Amino acid sequence: MTAESQKTERYNARDAETRWQKTWAERGIFATKNDDPRPKYYVLEMFPYPSGRIHMGHVRNYTMGDVVARFKRAMGNAVLHPMGWDAFGMPAENAAIDRKVHPKAWTYDNIAAMKKQLQSMGLSLDWAREVATCDPAYYKHQQKMFLDFLKAGLVAREYRKVNWDPVDQTVLANEQVIDGRGWRSGAEVEQRDLYQWVFKISDYSQELLEALDRLERWPDKVKLMQKNWIGRSEGLLVRFMLDPATAPNKEAELEIFTTRPDTLFGAKFMALSPDHPLAQAAAAKNPKLAAFIAETKKIGTSQAAIDTAEKMGFDTGIRAVHPFDPNWKLPVYVANFILMEYGTGAIFGCPAHDQRDLEFANKYGLGNTPVVCPPGQDPKTFVITDVPYLEDGKMINSRFLDGMTIEQAKEEVAKRLEKDTRGNRPVAQRQVNYRLRDWGISRQRYWGCPIPIIHCDACGVVPVPEKDLPVTLPEDVTFDKPGNPLDRHPTWKNITCPKCGGPARRETDTMDTFVDSSWYFVRFTDPWIKDAPTDRKIADRWMAVDQYIGGIEHAILHLLYSRFFTRGMHKCGYLDLDEPFAGLFTQGMVVHETYRTKSGEWVEPANVKIEGLGETRRASLATTGEPIEIGSIEKMSKSKKNTVDPDDIIDAFGADTARWFMLSDSPPERDVIWTEEGVQSAWRFVQRLWRMTGEIAGVSGPQSRPAVFGPQAQKVRKAAHRALANVSDDIARLRFNRCVAHIYELANALGDAIGSAETAPAPDFAWALREAGDILVRLFHPMMPHLAEECWAVLGHTTLVSAEAWPQVEPELLVESTITLPVQVNGKKRAEVTVPRDATEAQIVAAVLALDDVQKALGGKSPKKVIVVPQRIVNVVV
RNA sequence: GCGGACGUGGCGAAAUGGUAGACGCAAGGGACUUAAAAUCCCUUGGGAGUAAUCCCGUCCCGGUUCGAGUCCGGGCGUCCGCACCA
């Protein structure tokens, strides 16, 4: 055979893949009907930002989703598997600034390019439902819901301290500040006070927290992260009297929040946030205090600044009165470590039992009194110097609390102070605090959903009338100056007030793009409806998303916001559920080795030549041969140039190879290392499957199922049905790496069987080979759909395997008539015993004790007992 | 600092408390070939032995159990999330 003819016998992935993609599109087999009566299954992958090109992370994510979609479809479900674009956001504006292209043009060009790439992957998507969040037909409904939320009390306008990104010139959510820097620009974030539109997500703190327990198919890790983020703590609000002689005004009281009311007798000082009204009032009369407060503002909010910042305080001269002792006066400080946003912005300090309080007290010589004594410690000798005591113990130095546990003391203090009233109000009340703060959605940006609000000099804040929706973005904008182009737009901004007809201005802020992605999954259920965000019946039919798949980086922001927004939509009558994602899966990243030249420049894998193995493994520049350092394995990123372009891989090997590799080896929740060897291995397997089905197709056998199967045939059939059972189970549990292994096992078994076949195999064996071949193709179809169609046709089928039902397991093929059990003596394996499947325990024991190896291991002793675990193991204990 | 996850061959990894290392990669040997590629076959945790076989082995130290990679306690290490949150 010549090299040329061999070449033609290879599977031509590029050719076959375009062909099958065309066939699927023509026959519309992935279109989903909203009135499909079969049980629904909604599988969704997090939609991409149209950056311009897909990356390997997308390939992994969408492959996993597609496997689930194709499997569920074959299982007889009506499957909803849509795709869209998270199309608003800053990169489009950055491109406008850098390249002088309009954000809209840039975005839609990117969408076109990426759509083509996604289509080359052979994903079973219903493209008719495609949405882009930058489309007025989409954001119109978002504006409507903003107004609904406003009416429902879920939106507020607040003058707020915000994180200001000086480079991007916009406000950032806390979640978008990483180590004190903007998550996109990397610029050090400043604090500014601005009017902000906020969603009242904190009204749902308790609800969002409690509902986590009911999300059974979410990873514990994500639930825990959300739980910590919501940050519930129970404590006591306590009103301290201020010594009137020292108070700056008639505000003769200071309210604090504490989770440790038990330590009240260890109090040494009070501390206020620099932003606290009492601090401000005191500063008005005390220039030195005012200067101190100004000083605290200069210290940045960056992580480094917070880590290294020393505790600083300023004695206001005000004295507070201990709630249990009118003669006990506590100095009131302004301190730089007290946050106005949490609790009441004021605390009482108990240095003996709090790290920060102790540092502060030590610095200002305030001393400490331990009030909780560790078990086994003599209270008389127990002193605190540099390390506070935070554990459990018995109360000491605490008058009526002495001898109690911490819990008892907390309860006692709460009870007494709740009873105690001052001015008709109890001195203390129990309170639950949350760390979660309202979601500021205002962004000083052009490329986002306009907030449908008008500011009128006479009427104030006026919602845009619904008949005027959508408020569309003007297209004639310039990006030659920093800041928001909407703010300096001559005509768009100025408008007449819909209420009074007087001069007014549009709100020029746009919404955080996380709003766009907080409901797109609902829009997919009916993206065609024009006059409402949803068709309620259809939304209720498809929601919740049964399986949501995406990166762990969205564990908090996107998922929490979506949970909130869904509740808002529920409240406003757009659907009837609270939790949008019934099942969540967070997939790992695609990582790759990094390469750098001696001078420290990153080098793309495509330009690197690797030689040698292990210790002698060396890299050099492909062009010049200059030696290159092999660095650590890291997430693929443009900055480190360790990326592999999906287009290149699909061109060279086909989409199926890329898909197969993405599912192989690593468990889906863990990172997968992209290697050249791994791709080669996947590609070889594609070829092998294709050859193998060709060989099976060449076997002539009976048309109808033989009545009896010989041992050779049974062996093949058992292998096929075992693989079928295993793969079915593992796809359902998203254990794709195990599916891959089981498919390899079946291919190996089938390869052996074909190898052992005669030129004219017996009819039953021939039939079994064809059956196993059919099963094999249908099993790998969700992972490698194009190859599967090709092989399916080679096997003589005229249907599409993509539209075939999942094969049925014959359960009797999964059980053996005899079983071989390992035999242990004192927990060490010494022999094996083969017994009939239905052997009784007594029969098994007899068979085991009759074994030479067992007798030898017993060394003449008689066994104390024999443990028989049915179908598993036998252990003889001496 | 608080919270969580993980630690298994040369590598990626399997293993409802029940034969540790399935499956893949890499490596070594062989077949086919003028040769290469491709393909196929064999070997591959460590040690002892001609061999049958035996001993050791899942980060370390203990414990529970007939039996522990798996459960519990204590270390060590790596990774992730949160963090002046009162």
Side-chain angles (χ1 to χ4, degrees):
Chain A
M1 198 182 285
T2 66
E4 200 47 46
S5 73
Q6 267 187 340
K7 205 174 178 183
T8 58
E9 281 198 26
R10 293 207 144 185
Y11 171 63
N12 184 335
R14 195 201 291 224
D15 182 62
E17 290 183 357
T18 19
R19 196 153 28 82
W20 289 113
Q21 284 160 17
K22 202 169 150 236
T23 306
W24 295 331
E26 280 166 5
R27 302 206 197 165
I29 57 169
F30 304 133
T32 308
K33 292 198 183 99
N34 278 341
D35 58 1
D36 191 324
R38 295 173 298 171
K40 72 99 180 178
Y41 193 90
Y42 187 177
V43 55
L44 183 68
E45 302 95 65
M46 291 180 183
F47 68 164
Y49 177 78
S51 58
R53 302 195 65 73
I54 64 167
H55 52 68
M56 280 300 171
H58 291 126
V59 174
R60 195 175 191 206
N61 190 185
Y62 300 144
T63 299
M64 289 180 190
D66 200 44
V67 171
V68 174
R70 286 173 178 273
F71 174 68
K72 287 290 175 181
R73 212 175 276 120
M75 293 294 283
N77 290 93
V79 171
L80 179 57
H81 187 216
M83 181 56 73
W85 309 96
D86 188 13
F88 273 136
M90 287 190 292
E93 286 185 60
N94 294 339
I97 295 161
D98 297 343
R99 297 183 225 171
K100 313 266 185 255
V101 288
H102 194 278
K104 182 176 171 183
W106 183 83
T107 302
Y108 277 99
D109 283 353
N110 286 350
I111 287 175
M114 287 175 74
K115 184 173 178 179
K116 212 175 145 204
Q117 288 186 298
L118 289 184
Q119 285 174 328
S120 77
M121 283 180 63
L123 304 170
S124 64
L125 293 163
D126 183 358
W127 280 105
R129 292 170 188 261
E130 179 181 5
V131 299
T133 58
C134 65
D135 184 346
Y138 179 85
Y139 69 66
K140 171 189 173 179
H141 305 296
Q142 192 164 305
Q143 292 173 339
K144 170 70 165 65
M145 287 191 283
F146 175 90
L147 297 176
D148 292 334
F149 280 22
L150 185 63
K151 271 185 225 153
L154 297 175
V155 172
R157 185 165 159 79
E158 288 176 4
Y159 195 59
R160 266 208 182 187
K161 206 176 283 300
V162 296
N163 304 303
W164 178 259
D165 186 319
V167 169
D168 283 330
Q169 302 233 338
T170 191
V171 166
L172 299 174
N174 278 349
E175 296 87 331
Q176 293 166 337
V177 180
I178 294 149
D179 290 343
R181 291 174 181 275
W183 71 325
R184 286 235 161 101
S185 71
E188 197 138 325
V189 169
E190 300 167 4
Q191 301 292 300
R192 282 202 186 176
D193 288 308
L194 286 178
Y195 270 111
Q196 290 283 293
W197 289 102
V198 300
F199 281 147
K200 303 287 285 176
I201 190 171
S202 67
D203 288 357
Y204 287 81
S205 296
Q206 184 58 27
E207 155 93 32
L208 289 167
L209 182 66
E210 278 173 3
L212 285 174
D213 288 337
R214 299 194 290 271
L215 294 173
E216 283 165 22
R217 291 195 297 117
W218 276 44
D220 290 339
K221 179 187 169 74
V222 173
K223 288 194 275 189
L224 191 67
M225 281 164 73
Q226 292 212 353
K227 188 182 167 193
N228 291 338
W229 189 262
I230 294 168
R232 180 191 155 102
S233 59
E234 289 179 22
L236 205 61
L237 281 172
V238 184
R239 296 158 64 205
F240 281 64
M241 284 275 287
L242 296 181
D243 179 352
T246 61
N249 51 30
K250 286 178 189 165
E251 286 262 6
E253 181 170 285
L254 176 61
E255 190 168 42
I256 59 96
F257 175 74
T258 180
T259 55
R260 292 296 302 272
D262 54 302
T263 64
L264 214 38
F265 288 104
K268 290 293 171 191
F269 64 95
M270 314 291 291
L272 306 172
S273 162
D275 296 311
H276 194 280
L278 184 58
Q280 298 287 328
K285 294 180 182 171
N286 184 345
K288 280 189 183 163
L289 176 55
F292 171 80
I293 289 175
E295 187 64 27
T296 62
K297 306 249 174 186
K298 278 192 197 157
I299 294 170
T301 50
S302 74
Q303 199 57 47
I306 288 169
D307 283 346
T308 55
E310 217 177 314
K311 305 276 174 288
M312 291 203 306
F314 189 99
D315 186 351
T316 59
I318 303 170
R319 294 295 173 264
V321 182
H322 196 282
F324 287 121
D325 185 346
N327 298 318
W328 186 347
K329 304 279 164 64
L330 292 156
V332 179
Y333 280 77
V334 172
N336 64 345
F337 64 97
I338 307 299
L339 306 172
M340 192 59 218
E341 297 80 28
Y342 190 80
T344 64
I347 61 150
F348 84 83
C350 175
H353 303 290
D354 184 281
Q355 180 66 48
R356 293 153 306 175
D357 295 351
L358 185 61
E359 280 174 43
F360 190 81
N362 285 349
K363 178 162 179 182
Y364 292 101
L366 301 171
N368 75 71
T369 306
V371 291
V372 180
C373 186
Q377 175 91 35
D378 181 358
K380 291 191 187 87
T381 60
F382 182 51
V383 289
I384 299 281
T385 52
D386 292 329
V387 184
Y389 182 70
L390 307 173
E391 312 287 308
D392 246 337
K394 283 266 162 22
M395 302 307 300
I396 53 169
N397 302 326
S398 295
R399 307 188 191 181
F400 54 84
L401 299 176
D402 283 352
M404 290 184 184
T405 64
I406 289 177
E407 279 315 305
Q408 288 166 340
K410 278 181 180 172
E411 186 57 32
E412 183 63 25
V413 168
K415 260 189 205 156
R416 289 193 184 218
L417 293 181
E418 274 173 331
K419 257 186 236 157
D420 210 354
T421 58
R422 196 187 310 134
N424 295 329
R425 278 175 57 217
V427 166
Q429 64 190 93
R430 294 169 209 247
Q431 203 199 37
V432 176
N433 257 324
Y434 300 91
R435 213 187 65 104
L436 180 67
R437 296 176 52 204
D438 283 331
W439 173 17
I441 59 155
S442 295
R443 296 290 180 275
Q444 292 64 47
R445 280 279 145 186
Y446 165 73
W447 194 234
C449 173
I451 295 173
I453 289 290
I454 291 161
H455 300 281
C456 170
D457 292 332
C459 313
V461 169
V462 180
V464 171
E466 282 178 25
K467 66 175 173 55
D468 294 339
L469 295 182
V471 176
T472 50
L473 286 170
E475 297 201 12
D476 54 333
V477 286
T478 55
F479 294 90
D480 44 358
K481 289 174 219 155
N484 183 357
L486 294 177
D487 213 24
R488 52 172 190 267
H489 193 280
T491 53
W492 185 83
K493 183 179 172 183
N494 296 308
I495 189 175
T496 54
C497 171
K499 241 185 187 172
C500 69
R505 296 164 312 284
R506 281 193 192 281
E507 170 68 63
T508 58
D509 284 353
T510 53
M511 293 185 209
D512 180 4
T513 57
F514 276 114
V515 182
D516 311 342
S517 55
S518 289
W519 71 284
Y520 76 106
F521 41 87
V522 189
R523 185 67 187 170
F524 278 140
T525 62
D526 184 355
W528 304 284
I529 182 167
K530 286 209 171 79
D531 51 1
T534 65
D535 178 313
R536 169 129 186 199
K537 267 194 199 141
I538 295 172
D540 287 344
R541 150 134 173 81
W542 287 112
M543 292 296 289
V545 176
D546 295 278
Q547 186 63 62
Y548 197 34
I549 308 176
I552 186 75
E553 67 274 19
H554 292 113
I556 297 171
L557 318 180
H558 164 57
L559 292 169
L560 194 58
Y561 291 155
S562 297
R563 296 179 62 217
F564 161 74
F565 206 92
T566 302
R567 283 168 168 78
M569 288 178 77
H570 188 182
K571 191 172 180 183
C572 296
Y574 291 116
L575 38 70
D576 183 28
L577 92 162
D578 289 330
E579 287 296 338
F581 311 121
L584 174 70
F585 188 85
T586 53
Q587 105 258 4
M589 297 183 297
V590 183
V591 296
H592 195 285
E593 262 182 348
T594 51
Y595 309 102
R596 303 181 92 145
T597 61
K598 290 276 187 289
S599 53
E601 287 154 36
W602 301 103
V603 184
E604 288 108 14
N607 295 336
V608 176
K609 196 178 157 196
I610 305 269
E611 284 164 304
L613 289 156
E615 294 288 298
T616 64
R617 199 158 169 272
R618 296 281 180 276
S620 59
L621 208 56
T623 45
T624 63
E626 180 195 339
I628 285 174
E629 283 173 32
I630 299 176
S632 56
I633 295 170
E634 293 184 49
K635 179 183 183 174
M636 285 189 180
S637 75
K638 277 180 197 154
S639 61
K640 290 184 179 161
K641 293 194 179 173
N642 60 338
T643 56
V644 174
D645 188 351
D647 265 1
D648 294 345
I649 299 301
I650 292 173
D651 267 356
F653 302 99
D656 288 335
T657 296
R659 292 170 60 124
W660 185 252
F661 178 48
M662 286 286 87
L663 300 168
S664 309
D665 293 348
S666 290
E669 68 278 8
R670 240 181 271 178
D671 291 350
V672 66
I673 306 170
W674 183 276
T675 60
E676 184 63 24
E677 292 83 2
V679 185
Q680 293 287 349
S681 155
W683 187 73
R684 278 201 304 272
F685 190 55
V686 166
Q687 296 296 339
R688 186 172 153 214
L689 288 171
W690 188 74
R691 277 198 313 273
M692 191 178 279
T693 41
E695 285 169 40
I696 292 170
V699 174
S700 56
Q703 288 300 304
S704 59
R705 180 192 164 107
V708 217
F709 291 99
Q712 204 184 14
Q714 273 306 80
K715 197 177 163 193
V716 175
R717 301 196 67 223
K718 279 178 178 174
H721 283 263
R722 208 176 306 122
L724 170 56
N726 286 334
V727 171
S728 309
D729 185 45
D730 282 328
I731 294 186
R733 297 160 73 172
L734 309 181
R735 305 204 290 192
F736 306 118
N737 57 321
R738 288 170 42 117
C739 295
V740 165
H742 294 311
I743 289 167
Y744 270 113
E745 276 171 340
L746 176 55
N748 290 345
L750 203 43
D752 290 349
I754 294 167
S756 70
E758 312 283 321
T759 18
D764 67 321
F765 185 46
W767 195 90
L769 284 177
R770 313 263 324 213
E771 182 199 18
D774 277 6
I775 289 176
L776 175 65
V777 173
R778 291 199 282 178
L779 286 186
F780 73 73
H781 141 258
M783 297 89 179
M784 297 187 282
H786 314 88
L787 176 69
E789 294 290 4
E790 194 75 9
C791 292
W792 193 244
V794 166
L795 287 171
H797 300 283
T798 51
T799 55
L800 289 176
V801 71
S802 298
E804 283 284 311
W806 199 247
Q808 294 279 323
V809 183
E810 290 181 26
E812 61 275 17
L813 287 171
L814 302 182
V815 291
E816 303 287 340
S817 57
T818 61
I819 48 173
T820 300
L821 295 173
V823 177
Q824 296 179 333
V825 176
N826 281 337
K828 288 203 172 203
K829 191 199 164 194
R830 295 297 177 191
E832 284 182 349
V833 66
T834 300
V835 292
R837 202 192 128 62
D838 53 1
T840 64
E841 194 170 321
Q843 288 168 329
I844 294 172
V845 170
V848 163
L849 293 180
L851 293 171
D852 286 348
D853 286 337
V854 171
Q855 286 306 324
K856 200 175 124 197
L858 286 176
K861 288 180 230 162
S862 59
K864 273 190 206 141
K865 61 175 165 176
V866 180
I867 292 155
V868 178
V869 184
Q871 315 295 315
R872 276 287 175 197
I873 203 165
V874 180
N875 192 8
V876 182
V877 184
V878 184

